[in-house]
Amino acid sequence: MGKELFIRAQKMKDSLIQWRRSLHRHPELGLELPRTSAFVQNELNRLGISYETYVDGSCLLATLGPKKGKCFLLRSDMDALPINEETGLEFSSEAPGQMHACGHDLHTAILLGAATILKEHESELKGPVKLLFQPGEEIFAGAKRCIEEGVLENPKADAAFAMHVSSLVPTGVIMTGREAMSSVYGFQIEIQGKGGHGSTPHLCVDPIHVGVEVYAALQELISRECTPLSHTALTIGQFQAGEAANVIPQRCVMSGTLRTFDTKVADFLIRRIGEIVPSVAKTYRANASVQDLYNVPAVLCDGNLNLFLAEALHKSNPDLVFVDKLHAMGSEDFAFISEQIPSSYFCLGCAVTDPAHAIGPHNPKTVFDEACLPLGAACYAQAALSWSRENNK
């Protein structure tokens, strides 16, 4: 098919930008995306594409192609982050404290673009293609909820593909990798001490001091009990205690994440966190407990599918540059899908040309090069058409 799909996507650039900017102005969080869902439904209705809703209406699953045959799933996430935007863009978020700082607005527009192209080429599909517009990725709850509600069934999805934009990778570059994204275990630690006056620490059990000792002990897990070859990171991102300078508080709360690609390492360190935290607290006459917040596996891609899709996309557009180095410590709940069926997860470059404004995701000043939109839409459509032809002979 050559560059036909990429040329078609380029002609849609204005529409893709308009979709993206409209979504960017009205971000929504978590599993409740009524406005975003209504926007996508309106476009799918306009295109004449049938769909079903899940997750209380905030998830959309559109279907194209014949009802029988091997089924391919394309997925984009749609939720935003609890961040106050500071980009100064004319289409900045109109929702205080909410921002598309991870690019899920681009993902949604890209999949709508792919839907447009695939509808025009629907007769060429040899099996069903599902388009999953998913909520709740940022809270690691969306994909799991979608799977529980049956999005991978009827017809059963045989393989899946997703891409994530990167504001640090140049536009036109696509990164692939077998171990694409790390696992993530989220946990919360509560330390109960004995509060009192700051002038009499000997009569108290200071949970802040205990928290500091727990923090140090957890970091030593990485430096002394974990092989450096495992690519493991443990971060305490929240430490909350006290309200006054002259008061020793009653409790301390800490929250953190553990990330790795090795299941055995993850299991070992999770067990050790559960052992170390109460033991350290007991040493200093305090009590402590560990609560699991979430546990998401690594995004492990199917090597053969990665190779097939990368070759299909490069053959269709030789201008694309493929780099087989995607091995990120960030995490993604697409992992729950890749755990179920053979999957590929690529990184789509969209760094702005001014290095001073090329900032990583989850930042109030993060911006993206919208030139990636037609590239992404064409890649999704080409991936679906190529896989459908290859697997429905």
Side-chain angles (χ1 to χ4, degrees):
M1 189 172 288
K3 276 191 174 182
E4 179 184 342
L5 299 188
F6 289 87
I7 294 171
R8 172 67 182 99
Q10 198 63 40
K11 292 179 179 178
M12 294 171 53
K13 185 176 180 180
D14 289 345
S15 294
L16 289 164
I17 290 174
Q18 182 181 358
W19 290 337
R20 182 263 165 146
R21 293 186 178 185
S22 179
L23 292 162
H24 191 88
R25 285 191 183 97
H26 305 289
E28 295 176 302
L29 306 180
L31 295 172
E32 298 182 8
L33 314 180
R35 184 165 186 158
T36 304
S37 176
F39 180 93
V40 174
Q41 288 184 56
N42 183 65
E43 294 303 323
L44 293 175
N45 289 334
R46 184 182 59 81
L47 292 167
I49 297 176
S50 62
Y51 60 87
E52 297 176 331
T53 63
Y54 296 85
V55 192
D56 300 321
S58 290
C59 169
L60 300 169
L61 183 67
T63 306
L64 290 159
K67 294 182 178 180
K68 294 183 178 180
K70 296 286 187 178
C71 177
F72 194 60
L73 174 76
L74 300 175
R75 175 271 201 170
S76 280
D77 40 16
M78 305 191 294
D79 56 320
L81 286 158
I83 293 176
N84 278 306
E85 182 162 356
E86 299 176 11
T87 63
L89 296 170
E90 62 181 43
F91 53 91
S92 291
S93 170
E94 297 176 10
Q98 300 179 31
M99 177 191 174
H100 273 294
C102 199
H104 296 185
D105 51 337
L106 286 89
H107 296 174
T108 307
I110 283 170
L111 192 53
L112 280 173
T116 304
I117 297 171
L118 288 171
K119 184 63 177 177
E120 295 170 356
H121 292 268
E122 190 168 17
S123 63
E124 299 170 37
L125 293 171
K126 305 303 180 183
V129 171
K130 291 182 172 182
L131 313 180
L132 176 61
F133 295 86
Q134 180 206 305
E137 189 282 324
E138 295 292 358
I139 60 172
F140 302 123
K144 192 172 184 180
R145 176 81 176 269
C146 290
I147 292 169
E148 289 171 351
E149 294 190 14
V151 298
L152 298 183
E153 307 300 327
N154 303 315
K156 183 183 182 303
D158 295 287
F161 176 64
M163 289 197 298
H164 200 299
V165 295
S166 172
S167 56
L168 295 176
V169 176
T171 302
V173 174
I174 294 177
M175 296 184 69
T176 68
R178 173 76 175 83
E179 296 179 331
M181 304 286 278
S182 79
S183 66
V184 58
Y185 166 64
F187 58 94
Q188 184 177 84
I189 298 168
E190 181 173 342
I191 299 169
Q192 290 287 345
K194 181 182 178 182
H197 200 286
S199 65
T200 57
H202 60 291
L203 300 179
C204 306
V205 176
D206 186 352
I208 295 178
H209 171 244
V210 177
V212 170
E213 296 296 334
V214 166
Y215 178 92
L218 292 180
Q219 295 306 315
E220 290 174 6
L221 275 178
I222 303 302
S223 64
R224 288 296 176 265
E225 296 192 33
C226 179
T227 168
L229 300 178
S230 67
H231 294 185
T232 302
L234 191 154
T235 297
I236 299 297
Q238 287 183 315
F239 195 124
Q240 300 172 336
E243 296 180 359
N246 63 344
V247 176
I248 292 174
Q250 190 76 8
R251 64 192 287 269
C252 166
V253 177
M254 306 162 64
S255 298
T257 58
L258 169 70
R259 300 172 191 270
T260 184
F261 293 90
D262 190 316
T263 302
K264 291 182 179 179
V265 169
D267 291 343
F268 169 72
L269 291 178
I270 290 170
R271 177 173 59 81
R272 290 292 287 136
I273 290 171
E275 293 170 348
I276 285 174
V277 169
S279 297
V280 172
K282 187 176 181 180
T283 299
Y284 296 97
R285 299 178 296 128
N287 295 313
S289 60
V290 181
Q291 177 186 354
D292 298 345
L293 300 179
Y294 44 78
N295 198 347
V296 181
V299 177
L300 302 179
C301 296
D302 183 277
N304 292 330
L305 183 60
N306 269 8
L307 181 61
F308 171 78
L309 292 177
E311 289 180 346
L313 296 179
H314 191 256
K315 184 177 180 181
S316 299
N317 187 352
D319 294 334
L320 294 173
V321 177
F322 285 83
V323 179
D324 190 28
K325 290 185 178 181
L326 180 55
H327 186 71
M329 293 304 293
S331 304
E332 238 277 12
D333 80 347
F334 183 71
F336 290 112
I337 295 175
S338 67
E339 195 177 43
Q340 299 284 326
I341 56 178
S343 301
S344 284
Y345 187 85
F346 291 179
C347 171
L348 178 67
C350 63
V352 293
T353 54
D354 182 359
H357 292 94
I359 299 170
H362 291 222
N363 185 292
K365 297 183 185 296
T366 302
V367 291
F368 303 89
D369 180 10
E370 293 176 325
C372 77
L373 293 170
L375 292 178
C379 284
Y380 266 124
Q382 186 64 65
L385 284 162
S386 297
W387 188 94
S388 184
R389 284 195 298 266
E390 179 68 20
N391 291 275
N392 287 286
K393 294 180 179 179

